[in-house]
């Protein structure tokens, strides 16, 4: 697996990963959002914030412990990126 | 029907309605988001932006024509508020 942080922007205070995904159509955005919700439910993690419009989704993953991102949180970031790619989303 | 703008904050340039809804639990937030997506699909309208975390959803409805909110957009605002109330969400 490639570095899960690839394409994500690291932010500190608190530690977080941020990434903007863009899609050609709302249908793809919707599919991605639904897949993201299902994936989060499966692993018990939820992004700290998701901000979306018809063709973009901004995702912020924050370290739940406020100190550093856990391996599970980093894996979730990788999973989210893969879900976006499945909808032909661009990660920037 | 009560004034659909009640509880919404009006913004200009472009004309928009903004409202923050808060929920006790993520399950309610999720139900609201799913209901909002279904309602938007049904009437062919989508908020310009939705920003959410585990227990809050910020909704921005912008005038699609950039000039003024249409009757359909205002009705959608009322419908969104009703969906939040169905999940015991508070509109502030």
């Amino acid at each position: 697996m490639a570095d899960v942080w690839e394409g994500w922007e690291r932010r500190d205070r608190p530690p977080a990963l941020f990434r903007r995904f863009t899609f050609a159509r709302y249908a793809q955005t919707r599919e991605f959002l639904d897949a993201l919700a299902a994936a989060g439910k499966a692993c018990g993690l939820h992004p700290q914030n998701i901000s979306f419009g018809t063709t973009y989704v901004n995702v912020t993953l924050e370290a739940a412990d406020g100190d550093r991102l856990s391996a599970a949180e980093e894996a979730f970031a990788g999973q989210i990126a893969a879900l976006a790619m499945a909808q032909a989303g661009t990660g920037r």
Side-chain angles (χ1 to χ4, degrees), chain A:
Chain A
M1 188 164 124
D3 184 348
V4 296
W5 303 329
E6 194 182 312
W8 290 83
E9 177 187 325
R10 281 192 167 278
R11 292 180 176 179
D12 292 316
R13 285 180 295 274
L17 290 171
F18 171 84
R19 191 161 171 181
R20 180 181 182 85
F21 299 99
T22 58
F23 303 89
R25 293 185 303 278
Y26 176 68
Q28 295 168 325
T29 304
R30 191 70 251 160
E31 288 279 333
F32 171 64
L33 287 166
D34 289 345
L36 203 172
K41 189 175 182 182
C43 67
L45 293 172
H46 305 293
Q48 186 262 339
N49 179 266
I50 293 175
S51 178
F52 70 96
T54 50
T55 56
Y56 69 89
V57 181
N58 293 331
V59 180
T60 306
L61 282 172
E62 218 172 74
D65 70 3
D67 187 28
R68 60 173 293 170
L69 289 150
S70 68
E73 287 164 338
E74 288 174 355
F76 189 36
Q79 192 180 3
I80 289 169
L83 293 172
M85 283 185 66
Q87 297 301 327
T90 58
R92 287 173 205 285

